[in-house]
Amino acid sequence: MQKIVLDKSFLDGASGHQVRDVLAQHHALVIEPLFYELMTTDHPVRQSRAFNKFPHDAGAFTLIPNMGTLLRYEFEQKKAVDSLDACAIEGRHIFNEALRDGSYVPTDQVRDDILSWQAEVDRATDTFVRMCESVHHYFPELNGIAPRELPSAIALARQAVATDPARVRAIYEEIRGWDAPDAKIDGSVLDEQWATFRFLQCHLLAALRIFGRYGGQLPETSKFRLHAEHCTHDLEYVLVASLVGAIATNDREVEEDFRMLRPDGVVVRPHPSSRDLHSPTPPPAGT
């Protein structure tokens, strides 16, 4: 059965009937960033509505940990995570009924877990922002050109990330040389089956988009920081989806990056006519 990654924009935009159909027809993967986004949302009604779209039966989906866990697995095992089965969180999972009816009150342990998650998200966001700040070093063709030429140069650079594995490996080795010289994964063995390879591709694609949007001048504002955090979640969805070949999303930029990395992949979007009655309007794509 085809594995498929669900992201939050799909849960927000699809009807409960469609979500349950997707889970019935695919081997659905719920990755940790989705659970984190649902547990930390400021919209309790939207939160309970999203959880209500999942089946009540245990085992309807597989839980996949965050990208840090996938990268550590490859670093320690010296092999590609590949199908993700080795990293899946064991058990037949089902969401707490209180999350469905809005009565859930987190325990002290859950609050501590959320704080730990937030610290991991902050570190991941820092990594992404650093990539946004430095991405032009890996693409010297972006430097010293007229502003009107930047969009086409960004497009070509993004295409290279998606289609030129040798260039991605060269960037990996450059980063490893100054940031992680003791990393034991040699760049020559990396390919599209490795989470490490996809991690770099996803970061480069998203960072190039940000670099082009702001002309290389990243704002130092809380609004930009929040946007960078959302981008970090999104690239995790794309990373895992690129490994399994399918994603359910309502986010234009997530779909764009996934299609670049997996032109053979499957994309499931919400059916506009089948959204649940009174469901909120999905947030703008890319937020």
Side-chain angles (χ1 to χ4, degrees):
M1 186 178 288
Q2 171 68 57
K3 290 184 173 72
I4 190 169
V5 173
L6 278 67
D7 78 1
K8 186 172 180 293
S9 70
F10 179 77
L11 284 182
D12 285 340
S15 68
H17 178 75
Q18 186 186 7
V19 171
R20 289 186 287 274
D21 276 352
V22 169
L23 269 64
Q25 296 166 13
H26 301 81
H27 179 172
L29 305 181
V30 171
I31 66 173
E32 192 171 289
L34 173 58
F35 193 46
Y36 173 81
E37 286 195 279
L38 291 175
M39 291 299 292
T40 58
T41 181
D42 293 329
H43 303 281
V45 173
R46 185 175 292 183
Q47 179 192 59
S48 61
R49 186 175 289 125
F51 280 115
N52 255 316
K53 293 177 182 180
F54 285 93
H56 289 259
D57 302 324
F61 55 87
T62 296
L63 282 177
I64 301 296
N66 63 28
M67 60 185 174
T69 301
L70 305 183
L71 299 180
R72 282 192 294 274
Y73 172 89
E74 292 188 339
F75 181 82
E76 293 168 359
Q77 301 297 321
K78 309 300 182 295
K79 64 180 181 179
V81 71
D82 199 10
S83 69
L84 300 176
D85 292 334
C87 291
I89 299 172
E90 294 183 1
R92 290 172 55 81
H93 305 287
I94 185 171
F95 290 125
N96 190 313
E97 284 297 318
L99 290 169
R100 301 175 186 272
D101 63 24
S103 64
Y104 181 76
V105 177
T107 63
D108 289 343
Q109 179 61 57
V110 170
R111 291 191 184 95
D112 289 343
D113 289 343
I114 290 175
L115 289 175
S116 296
W117 275 348
Q118 182 62 62
E120 286 198 40
V121 169
D122 287 343
R123 288 191 291 271
T125 303
D126 288 341
T127 297
F128 176 64
V129 171
R130 287 196 298 272
M131 178 61 79
C132 294
E133 293 170 340
S134 62
V135 69
H136 62 290
H137 295 304
Y138 310 120
F139 298 91
E141 62 268 32
L142 302 180
N143 300 319
I145 62 175
R148 67 178 180 276
E149 297 173 348
L150 186 59
S152 61
I154 290 290
L156 288 173
R158 281 170 46 84
Q159 191 62 32
V161 169
T163 61
D164 188 349
R167 185 161 191 183
V168 176
R169 284 191 287 267
I171 294 172
Y172 170 84
E173 288 293 355
E174 184 176 348
I175 293 173
R176 188 168 73 125
W178 57 261
D179 189 46
D182 296 327
K184 296 182 175 61
I185 300 176
D186 189 278
S188 64
V189 306
L190 297 180
D191 61 18
E192 292 85 349
Q193 301 303 312
W194 289 74
T196 300
F197 185 87
R198 294 300 195 181
F199 173 89
L200 181 54
Q201 279 186 309
C202 292
H203 273 75
L204 289 170
L205 286 178
L208 283 165
R209 178 186 288 116
I210 293 293
F211 186 87
R213 181 173 298 164
Y214 293 101
Q217 303 297 317
L218 304 186
E220 297 182 7
T221 64
S222 58
K223 182 178 180 180
F224 175 76
R225 176 71 184 193
L226 182 60
H227 178 61
E229 180 178 315
H230 288 315
C231 289
T232 302
H233 294 316
D234 289 347
L235 65 85
E236 289 207 48
Y237 294 125
V238 177
L239 187 160
V240 179
S242 70
L243 291 172
V244 301
I247 190 167
T249 185
N250 195 32
D251 187 295
R252 177 183 56 79
E253 292 180 352
V254 167
E255 179 177 353
E256 179 180 56
D257 288 359
F258 172 75
R259 289 192 184 278
M260 291 186 73
L261 297 179
R262 289 297 301 261
D264 62 331
V266 174
V267 176
V268 177
R269 297 187 64 87
H271 302 316
S273 61
S274 65
R275 293 196 183 108
D276 288 334
L277 188 63
H278 304 312
S279 63
T281 301
T287 60

